[in-house]
Amino acid sequence: MPQQVSMGATLQCSFGAAPSTLVVLPVNRVMGEGPPAANIMDHVPLVNIMPFGMCSSPANPTVAAATAAAMGVLTPMPCVPATMSPWVTGAPTVLLGNQPSLDNVSKCMCNWGGVVTIVNPATVNTMIP
C-alpha cells in the first residue's frame, strides 16, 4: 500500500551517484507524522529536490562537454537537478494544498533523462488508500 511522503524523504536519481533528500516547505500546512507532507508540486530543483552527487547522464550538457574533452570517456559532473515537471502520479484521491498527495510510488523525470524515485518516504504509519 502506498505511503505518504514527507520532508526528509530519501530520493535517488537513475543517473545520480548519491542519494538526496526531499525538502518540503510548510506552505500546505499539513504534517505527516511530524514533518510537512509533500504533494506532486514539490519538484522544484534546488528548492525541493537537492543534487544527487555526480551526474552521469550523457544528455546533461556539462557531462557531454566533459566527456568530449576527455576524448569520449564518460566523465560525470556535479548534479544540478532539472526536474521541471511534477511528480507522477501521486494520490489523486488525497489532496494537499489542492494538489494530489505525493506517495512513495511516484516518480519525477529529470530533463537530462534521469528518473527520480523515492527510496524512503520518511513516514511509516501514514498509508494512502
Side-chain angles (χ1 to χ4, degrees), residues 8-22 49-54 79 81 116-120:
T10 305
L11 308 176
Q12 182 64 56
C13 177
S14 58
F15 282 114
S20 181
T21 55
L22 180 68
I49 299 179
M50 297 298 126
F52 295 95
M54 300 296 277
C79 169
V116 179
T117 57
I118 299 164
V119 177
N120 181 350

Side-chain angles (χ1 to χ4, degrees), residues 7 11 13 32-33 36 39 42 52 60 70 82 85 90 92 109 111 122 128:
M7 178 158 171
L11 308 176
C13 177
E33 296 178 22
N39 69 24
D42 292 320
F52 295 95
N60 184 333
S85 58
M109 298 299 294
N111 288 359
I128 297 176

Side-chain angles (χ1 to χ4, degrees), residues 28 39 95-100:
N28 295 327
N39 69 24
L95 299 180
L96 296 178
N98 293 323
Q99 295 293 332

Side-chain angles (χ1 to χ4, degrees), residues 33-127:
E33 296 178 22
N39 69 24
I40 64 166
M41 297 308 289
D42 292 320
H43 68 90
V44 180
L46 303 176
V47 173
N48 302 119
I49 299 179
M50 297 298 126
F52 295 95
M54 300 296 277
C55 177
S56 60
S57 171
N60 184 333
T62 59
V63 174
T67 300
M71 303 298 220
V73 176
L74 181 64
T75 307
M77 293 298 288
C79 169
V80 177
T83 52
M84 300 305 165
S85 58
W87 291 87
V88 290
T89 59
T93 59
V94 180
L95 299 180
L96 296 178
N98 293 323
Q99 295 293 332
S101 172
L102 183 61
D103 59 21
N104 64 330
V105 294
S106 299
K107 302 200 181 319
C108 190
M109 298 299 294
C110 179
N111 288 359
W112 311 135
V115 178
V116 179
T117 57
I118 299 164
V119 177
N120 181 350
T123 58
V124 292
N125 296 323
T126 309
M127 300 294 183

